[in-house]
Amino acid sequence: MGRNVAVAEYLYHTGYPGVGEAFVEAAGVDYDKRSKYSASLERKWTSLLKLSKKIRMLQAELDEAKALLALGPIRKPAAEAGFLPAATATYEMRAHRDEISSLVFHPTEPVLVTGGYDSTVRFTDYETGESLGKPLRESGAVSAVAVDASGSLLASASVSSIRVWQWESRKRLKSLTGHEADVWDVAFTPDASHLVSASRDTTVRVWTLDTGFCVKILSGHSEWVRSVSVAPNGEVYASAGADNTVCVWGADDSAPRAVLSHHSHVVEVVAFAPATASVHLAKLQGVDADEPTVAAAQYVASGGRDAMIHVYDAAAGALVASFAGHDGWVRDLAFHPCGEFLLSCGDDKSVRVWSLASGKCVKTYTKAHSVFVGAMAFNVRSPVVATGDVSGGLKIWNCVAP
């Protein structure tokens, strides 16, 4: 009854008295023009409009929050903090039935990609430690995996072929063939226009992803090429070989710009430093951090079976620093996104953290795994480190403030 009275009141007070009288008679409303319901419907409608506006505003905020959450966990960006792995791993699992040869974090999703000698590429949610979807199956051992900077392409290397996959659909886009022996490593250029590969056939090859054709063969090693890395600006490549050397190549060159021969055994890994490391490495080099040469430098690190880690100024072809501390092969390297540290792992089952400012080991995880640690990666998106071993074991380490 109250609603009918409110309607009548609204009609009387908004210029429709005749309609109001008809409504009162038809609805049988006992209406008093001086009643407490005066203008109540108008107030309700005004409140409803305000409420609708508020709901739209809240929905817009919710949509924005969902978009941010889709980009991943709300954490302090890894590049803004010198966070290091906690004393114990957050998750530990048997991810592959054989050695984990390579691993990489997806740049925008909370996904870790691993490649193994069990001929599979697998996907793990690093926030929960859960396996995601079906693995990609290869015809032979997977020696390397890589994801481009946008997160739209995935590359895997197996035997003498390279496969490029569309990330979302996991659909194979191209097979790159041409190497005459096992492909051991792959790396995208920053714009994902090309893929660079290293092979047991002693060559480094550059592939254009538009056509899938090999556009350049770089010959500078005399033995198996085991690792390749692309500089952050995409203009320089570095490769590591079983001939104990690191070769530095210009993207437009056909011969190495520099051949660095400071290792006494096979060089297992080579990795370019992020731009954030330049200031720290310049200090080790004895260069004023404000000088223009710092911005021009391309720092690259290498690790080998001689248990040594060397850091070079690739632009100058000069040795900057050497780190000694591992008791066996150095298998993999990962620069901290903040640029302060270099992490390493190896056959002594340890993970070590090196200060690029002092050149000293500042933290050692003595028994990071129970067997040889062969692969590692530092997530540039949030402070998480992953390590893989020769038994297929995978550990995910959340990082904490020192």
Side-chain angles (χ1 to χ4, degrees):
M1 179 63 71
R3 283 180 294 181
N4 288 338
V5 171
V7 171
E9 183 65 31
Y10 177 78
L11 294 172
Y12 274 113
H13 288 82
T14 54
Y16 302 100
V19 177
E21 291 288 353
F23 177 77
V24 167
E25 184 177 351
V29 179
D30 182 12
Y31 174 65
D32 180 356
K33 294 180 181 180
R34 295 169 297 176
S35 74
K36 64 179 180 179
Y37 297 106
S38 178
S40 62
L41 184 60
E42 185 174 5
R43 289 196 300 270
K44 287 182 179 180
W45 282 8
T46 301
S47 298
L48 182 61
L49 290 173
K50 290 180 179 179
L51 181 60
S52 297
K53 183 178 179 181
K54 183 65 174 178
I55 290 173
R56 288 195 297 271
M57 291 174 59
L58 291 174
Q59 184 62 51
E61 292 177 7
L62 178 61
D63 292 342
E64 183 179 359
K66 286 181 177 178
L68 289 173
L69 287 172
L71 295 177
I74 302 174
R75 298 180 178 178
K76 190 173 183 63
E80 295 182 7
F83 289 1
L84 295 175
T88 57
T90 307
Y91 300 109
E92 181 177 354
M93 67 208 75
R94 180 82 182 279
H96 289 261
R97 294 192 301 273
D98 205 336
E99 178 175 347
I100 294 177
S101 58
S102 178
L103 42 79
V104 62
F105 286 99
H106 191 275
T108 62
E109 299 179 17
V111 180
L112 175 69
V113 185
T114 56
Y117 285 0
D118 60 359
S119 305
T120 66
V121 176
R122 297 178 183 270
F123 307 90
T124 302
D125 184 330
Y126 63 74
E127 292 181 328
T128 64
E130 296 179 357
S131 178
L132 298 172
K134 294 181 179 179
L136 301 178
R137 300 194 178 277
E138 294 279 11
S139 58
V142 177
S143 52
V145 290
V147 177
D148 80 302
S150 71
S152 60
L153 297 175
L154 166 67
S156 60
S158 175
V159 194
S160 59
S161 69
I162 303 162
R163 293 183 179 181
V164 180
W165 312 80
Q166 203 279 334
W167 174 260
E168 287 293 337
S169 66
R170 305 290 194 265
K171 179 182 178 181
R172 187 175 68 189
L173 300 177
K174 288 181 175 66
S175 291
L176 312 180
T177 57
H179 277 294
E180 298 174 1
D182 294 353
V183 181
W184 212 245
D185 200 8
V186 289
F188 285 98
T189 56
D191 62 0
S193 62
H194 293 80
L195 188 75
V196 185
S197 59
S199 172
R200 194 170 185 167
D201 65 7
T202 75
T203 69
V204 173
R205 299 190 182 222
V206 183
W207 312 80
T208 177
L209 294 178
D210 282 344
T211 64
F213 294 152
C214 176
V215 294
K216 187 173 290 187
I217 300 176
L218 302 176
S219 299
H221 289 279
S222 60
E223 298 288 345
W224 187 346
V225 188
R226 299 186 62 82
S227 179
V228 68
S229 183
V230 178
N233 64 5
E235 297 176 0
V236 184
Y237 312 144
S239 56
D243 56 2
N244 308 350
T245 69
V246 173
C247 288
V248 179
W249 315 81
D252 298 324
D253 299 341
S254 57
R257 292 182 177 181
V259 179
L260 309 171
S261 305
H262 296 82
H263 284 280
S264 61
H265 207 329
V266 172
V267 189
E268 286 286 330
V269 59
V270 65
F272 271 100
T276 50
S278 296
V279 172
H280 305 290
L281 290 170
K283 292 178 182 178
L284 284 181
Q285 199 175 6
V287 177
D288 187 336
D290 294 326
E291 291 185 11
T293 51
V294 175
Q298 295 290 341
Y299 293 103
V300 64
S302 61
R305 295 184 184 181
D306 56 3
M308 293 296 297
I309 298 168
H310 297 305
V311 181
Y312 303 96
D313 178 345
L319 180 67
V320 174
S322 296
F323 303 151
H326 279 283
D327 297 324
W329 296 7
V330 177
R331 293 274 196 137
D332 207 357
L333 301 170
F335 279 96
H336 195 298
C338 76
E340 293 183 50
F341 306 106
L342 174 65
L343 281 68
S344 61
C345 64
D347 283 3
D348 59 4
K349 308 173 187 177
S350 75
V351 169
R352 297 172 187 258
V353 181
W354 308 86
S355 167
L356 297 180
S358 68
K360 297 179 180 180
C361 181
V362 294
K363 194 166 186 178
T364 301
Y365 303 81
T366 306
K367 296 296 181 184
H369 287 250
S370 60
V371 293
F372 299 167
V373 189
M376 73 182 315
F378 206 119
N379 189 3
V380 300
R381 182 166 157 266
S382 58
V384 180
V385 170
T387 53
D389 65 39
V390 296
S391 71
L394 174 65
K395 288 190 178 184
I396 298 172
W397 312 69
N398 283 335
C399 296
V400 296

